[in-house]
Amino acid sequence: MITNTELEYKGNLFPAQITSYQKNVDVLNFITKNGVALQVTVLRDSVLRFRYATTGIFGNDFSYAITKYASRGYNKLEIDETDDHYIITTAKLICKIDKTNLKKTIYDAADNTLISEDELGFHWEESYQYGGDIVKMSKISPDGESFYGLGDKPVHINLKGKRFENWVTDSYAYGKDTDPIYKTIPFYIGLHHKKAYGIFFDNTFRSFFDFAHERRHVTSFWAQGGEMNYYFIYGPQMSDVVANYTDLTGKPHQLPPLWALGYHQCKWSYYPESKVRDIAAKFRELQIPCDALYLDIDYMDGFRCFTWDNERFPDPKKMVKELEDDGFKTVVIIDPGIKIDMNYDVFKEALDKDYFCKRADGPYMKGKVWPGECYFPDFTNPEVREWWSDLYKELIEDIGVRGVWNDMNEPAVMEVPGKTFPDDVRHNYDGNPCSHRKAHNVYGMQMARATYQGLKKFAYPKRPFAITRAAYSGTQRYTSSWTGDNVATWEHLWIANIQAQRMAMSGFSFVGSDIGGFAEQPTGELYTRWIQLGAFHPFFRTHSSGDHGDQEPWSFDEDVTDIVRKFIEIRYQLLPYLYTSFWQYADEGTPMLKSLVLYDQDDPHTHFRTDEFVVGDHILVCPIQEPNAKGRRMYIPRGKWYNFWNDEITHGGKEQWVDADIDKMPIFIKAGAIIPKYPVQQYVGEKEIDQLTLDVFYKEGKENSTVFEDAHDGYDYIKGRYSLRNFKLTGKPNELIIQQYKSGKYITPYNTFKIELHGLPFKIFKIQIDNEEALFEDVRVNGDNTLVVTKDFTELHIIGK
């Protein structure tokens, strides 16, 4: 007979003293008296992994976030033992593990300064409802510590004093401080005493982060299931932390086609076909550059994925081909919900093959989305992903669609309290069966992965272009993203700026917002200011809801159209600069956008700046984020900067007023920069580039710049057919030297550079190219400080009187 019906709530449990230690090459295993196991893996000198098991037994080591291409290896690994600690030393870090309780302290090996220290350290609480543990970690936060990252959070760049939840959520018309929203990226950067470190908590369950919110000097993170499994990444530069995290979770698998960095136009919805053609014709008539037009859910037959509405789009292949002939790539939406319809081939095939998600007791997971009642493929099953990727054959290979946009993949479910699947839904999880509690945050990622694989297969030899709304760490390997269903308000313009910066510092640069706002209707002024910001975001797309007014560039007054055209043209001129920034991101993990703290962490004034950011290495921008503004105060980082509009030189390190009426936005170029520019095109590939313009901004001192080019699509660049030009500028009072080092086998179509010299403090007296004097008429020197030189020079020497 059972007499005690009360649960024994044990509360927080902690590791006891270490009883055994074992080393296996780069993996160190510690066991405590109460059976807790700690596994420390030394991935790199600056990257340590900490993995805990409360039963002493680790489950299968599987992660969707960690890429198989992540760098491994270290220069030094020493293990020492004292009476109180085990001490792990690499070339960059010293990690001390307390023998009595597994608490860790981590120091910089170069100067022995403290970087990170456990407070309570690892602890856990048994989950009586679900089984397993609620796993927790807390660390001491020293005075003055700031926190950044965590992906798509619509809050101040600095996270200090706030608490967050990670649970991918459909958040229509979210606002400032709404949490959670569409993405889960459980990675943050801590910065104190001019040194930065990162922590990536690779746990896909619902998780939480507290940045000294509950207790002033304590930072903590915890999850409602799974393992305490996190990576400690040391800088000390923030840029190195971000690059190492991006290396760990994956850089983009390939560059995007150049057209994907052009301007895109989207609406819910452009239909019928005549409407799409009218939009395309208007862009060309008004000479507003545009590379892609989007078809939202209304192109489908009753919202059934992979179908067409034959009345609205009677001949999609012909339409797509004719749009392509006029320079427009067609991008279509695909959602995860598959309509329950026995006459619908996609549904019938998935049903026959048992590819849909099921509830715990066997019934299919049924939910309402746009088509009505739907079943949902289990994208965590590799067989389902392969099937899904093959479904793209007709859209991509036969009809000629060039990109796919995955929406509603949180997964979103209508008319249910949680807006998504119930917790008991079952998933394959690549052979690690689990509930939706574990799979929820990666569902959209795995859908995007399957879409990417289909595009890569059927777009070949062209490069794939995919977009996703939902994401987990590592999704940047496969796809771009946007920030979800925002609103046409000035506050949302501020939010869009923050989100793009934060995503970039969280390893995911290829991001933009719905320009002008998805919900409601912007004024012409708000739309103009949003286009100005969007022109400097990696993904540049206007998107709006069909429930409101028009949001094409010509939908407001003529003045707005002219300014919007001007900024889209600036975007197209800067395409080689942006493409180079993307190559640096894909090659090194360098974020394409840099918040000021990421750009100059040693300047304490940058730690709380939200509005200003640096694009690539050399362009500083700051959006205007309020109506009726004739300019704004902004912080300009240390160093010399040229005003983009008038070449005035500004000395940074302080906040100052910058004029910017409606037709301008504060843009500055770093002194010493060499900025590559293309001519304005109506779409990528409209013109053969017969000359590359290099804007050279004089500096007394040295500065390096890079230009990466290739065929702008295809995979030849992977085989070495690229052109990488490294420029070193050296400025002296009476001379300017530009040295060029070229690598790669790609031959650019142009033979000359047009060099436009900005801020030259002397009158040109003599020009030498590779130590030979050049005649002024040969290089076409004129009064506006421009000259034309061969693209193959090694050293250009401009000498003044």
Side-chain angles (χ1 to χ4, degrees), residues 29-84:
N29 290 289
F30 303 89
I31 304 292
T32 69
K33 188 174 182 181
N34 59 344
V36 176
L38 166 62
Q39 188 180 86
V40 183
T41 305
V42 181
L43 281 82
R44 302 174 66 175
D45 286 312
S46 56
V47 182
L48 305 177
R49 180 188 183 190
F50 299 99
R51 190 181 179 205
Y52 297 82
T54 59
T55 62
I57 301 168
F58 290 100
N60 186 31
D61 189 10
F62 174 79
S63 170
Y64 284 121
I66 306 300
T67 176
K68 63 183 178 182
Y69 304 110
S71 302
R72 295 290 293 262
Y74 44 83
N75 296 303
K76 176 182 178 180
L77 177 57
E78 294 175 359
I79 316 297
D80 296 303
E81 185 178 351
T82 68
D83 290 345
D84 303 321

Side-chain angles (χ1 to χ4, degrees), residues 168-226:
V168 173
T169 303
D170 175 13
S171 301
Y172 175 80
Y174 60 94
K176 185 179 178 184
D177 297 326
T178 299
D179 185 58
I181 58 173
Y182 300 95
K183 297 170 184 67
T184 286
I185 301 182
F187 160 72
Y188 74 86
I189 304 153
L191 173 64
H192 64 86
H193 300 95
K194 297 189 176 182
K195 295 187 176 184
Y197 67 91
I199 285 179
F200 171 43
F201 180 29
D202 189 10
N203 181 310
T204 62
F205 284 79
R206 191 187 297 260
S207 62
F208 300 83
F209 285 78
D210 184 301
F211 298 105
H213 169 81
E214 184 176 322
R215 289 184 289 161
R216 187 176 168 201
H217 290 296
V218 177
T219 272
S220 54
F221 49 95
W222 64 100
Q224 293 185 340

Side-chain angles (χ1 to χ4, degrees), residues 391-677:
L391 293 175
Y392 285 103
K393 182 179 190 303
E394 182 182 356
L395 271 179
I396 308 302
E397 189 175 84
D398 300 345
I399 292 174
V401 166
R402 293 294 300 275
V404 172
W405 152 40
N406 286 159
D407 196 7
M408 303 290 286
N409 57 342
E410 288 70 32
V413 179
M414 298 172 177
E415 298 173 12
V416 295
K419 299 200 254 188
T420 192
F421 294 0
D423 285 343
D424 75 317
V425 170
R426 277 10 213 183
H427 295 271
N428 175 277
Y429 215 86
D430 277 68
N432 301 275
C434 68
S435 76
H436 195 66
R437 295 174 65 239
K438 182 175 181 179
H440 173 84
N441 281 331
V442 299
Y443 185 87
M445 174 198 197
Q446 294 309 301
M447 180 190 182
R449 176 186 182 183
T451 295
Y452 160 82
Q453 288 166 341
L455 283 164
K456 189 170 185 181
K457 196 183 311 182
F458 297 117
Y460 190 85
K462 304 292 188 186
R463 299 176 201 161
F465 174 61
I467 319 167
T468 184
R469 191 167 75 176
Y472 181 73
S473 294
T475 310
Q476 69 271 4
R477 302 196 292 266
Y478 314 116
T479 176
S480 63
S481 189
W482 86 105
T483 57
D485 293 341
N486 57 7
V487 186
T489 64
W490 289 94
E491 179 177 83
H492 262 275
L493 176 59
W494 180 89
I495 291 171
N497 182 15
I498 295 290
Q499 286 174 304
Q501 289 183 53
R502 195 190 311 286
M503 286 294 288
M505 70 166 67
S506 303
F508 204 143
S509 283
F510 199 3
V511 169
S513 65
D514 284 351
I515 290 171
F518 178 74
E520 300 180 14
Q521 180 70 2
T523 62
E525 182 186 16
L526 175 56
Y527 182 74
T528 301
R529 292 303 195 187
W530 213 316
I531 278 279
Q532 291 171 355
L533 171 64
F536 292 93
H537 282 168
F539 181 44
F540 185 28
R541 180 184 77 162
T542 293
H543 179 39
S544 62
S545 164
D547 297 338
H548 306 98
D550 293 333
Q551 222 155 288
E552 293 75 37
W554 53 85
S555 302
F556 305 93
D557 58 57
E558 198 174 312
D559 290 349
V560 168
T561 303
D562 290 342
I563 299 166
V564 167
R565 180 192 296 107
K566 177 171 85 171
F567 274 86
I568 294 176
E569 287 178 347
I570 289 170
R571 167 69 168 220
Y572 276 75
Q573 288 180 299
L574 289 175
L575 280 177
Y577 178 83
L578 294 166
Y579 196 61
T580 299
S581 299
F582 206 109
W583 171 77
Q584 291 170 321
Y585 166 49
D587 189 58
E588 297 292 334
T590 309
M592 294 177 70
L593 307 182
K594 300 173 181 70
S595 302
L596 290 197
V597 66
L598 192 57
Y599 181 78
D600 185 2
Q601 71 189 50
D602 290 344
D603 179 358
H605 292 290
T606 67
H607 294 193
F608 289 89
R609 303 302 304 193
T610 59
D611 297 351
E612 310 89 344
F613 62 95
V614 175
V615 185
D617 293 328
H618 295 126
I619 299 180
L620 169 71
V621 297
C622 184
I624 301 293
Q625 298 173 139
E626 62 182 17
N628 306 314
K630 302 287 188 182
R632 63 163 296 158
R633 291 190 67 80
M634 63 176 284
Y635 188 80
I636 297 179
R638 296 183 296 186
K640 286 185 180 178
W641 298 82
Y642 284 76
N643 188 312
F644 174 81
W645 303 106
N646 58 23
D647 276 357
E648 285 181 4
I649 295 174
T650 294
H651 294 265
K654 60 182 181 290
E655 189 178 282
Q656 50 195 279
W657 174 265
V658 179
D659 288 326
D661 209 336
I662 186 66
D663 63 337
K664 290 185 173 62
M665 167 191 182
I667 306 171
F668 292 85
I669 312 295
K670 187 179 181 186
I674 296 177
I675 307 291
K677 291 196 316 195

Side-chain angles (χ1 to χ4, degrees), residues 122-362:
F122 172 61
H123 49 295
W124 74 97
E125 186 181 337
E126 293 182 3
S127 173
Y128 294 101
Q129 184 177 0
Y130 296 107
D133 300 312
I134 300 163
V135 292
K136 308 175 182 181
M137 174 62 65
S138 63
K139 295 181 175 291
I140 293 170
S141 178
D143 281 338
E145 183 165 23
S146 292
F147 300 97
Y148 306 92
L150 222 63
D152 199 6
K153 302 294 185 186
V155 300
H156 194 288
I157 284 286
N158 195 326
L159 305 174
K160 180 72 172 278
K162 299 184 184 298
R163 175 183 284 200
F164 299 95
E165 179 179 350
N166 286 310
W167 185 252
V168 173
T169 303
D170 175 13
S171 301
Y172 175 80
Y174 60 94
K176 185 179 178 184
D177 297 326
T178 299
D179 185 58
I181 58 173
Y182 300 95
K183 297 170 184 67
T184 286
I185 301 182
F187 160 72
Y188 74 86
I189 304 153
L191 173 64
H192 64 86
H193 300 95
K194 297 189 176 182
K195 295 187 176 184
Y197 67 91
I199 285 179
F200 171 43
F201 180 29
D202 189 10
N203 181 310
T204 62
F205 284 79
R206 191 187 297 260
S207 62
F208 300 83
F209 285 78
D210 184 301
F211 298 105
H213 169 81
E214 184 176 322
R215 289 184 289 161
R216 187 176 168 201
H217 290 296
V218 177
T219 272
S220 54
F221 49 95
W222 64 100
Q224 293 185 340
E227 283 185 354
M228 175 51 62
N229 168 33
Y230 73 93
Y231 295 78
F232 182 90
I233 305 165
Y234 185 49
Q237 293 300 310
M238 276 183 74
S239 54
D240 290 333
V241 174
V242 174
N244 283 337
Y245 163 77
T246 310
D247 179 83
L248 187 67
T249 57
K251 294 169 281 204
H253 279 173
Q254 61 273 307
L255 294 173
L258 185 63
W259 65 262
L261 297 179
Y263 176 69
H264 298 193
Q265 185 72 38
C266 181
K267 182 178 181 176
W268 177 29
S269 281
Y270 288 138
Y271 69 87
E273 178 184 315
S274 58
K275 176 70 170 176
V276 179
R277 291 181 182 276
D278 287 347
I279 296 291
K282 193 74 171 175
F283 270 105
R284 298 299 179 243
E285 175 197 335
L286 294 176
Q287 294 283 286
I288 300 171
C290 181
D291 258 288
L293 295 177
Y294 284 59
L295 301 179
D296 209 316
I297 54 176
D298 296 291
Y299 81 90
M300 303 175 192
D301 175 16
F303 306 131
R304 294 168 181 84
C305 292
F306 304 101
T307 67
W308 290 82
D309 183 319
N310 292 326
E311 289 188 11
R312 291 172 177 171
F313 296 93
D315 192 345
K317 184 171 184 176
K318 181 172 182 280
M319 179 193 73
V320 167
K321 170 68 166 61
E322 290 174 357
L323 287 172
E324 181 96 34
D325 290 344
D326 203 16
F328 293 98
K329 292 77 184 171
T330 302
V331 181
V332 301
I333 195 168
I334 292 287
D335 290 350
I338 301 300
K339 183 176 177 63
I340 299 172
D341 176 359
M342 292 304 288
N343 296 315
Y344 171 29
D345 289 346
V346 174
F347 173 79
K348 185 73 168 59
E349 186 178 2
L351 193 68
D352 291 345
K353 294 183 175 179
D354 201 22
Y355 285 166
F356 290 125
C357 295
K358 291 179 179 176
R359 305 292 296 267
D361 293 326

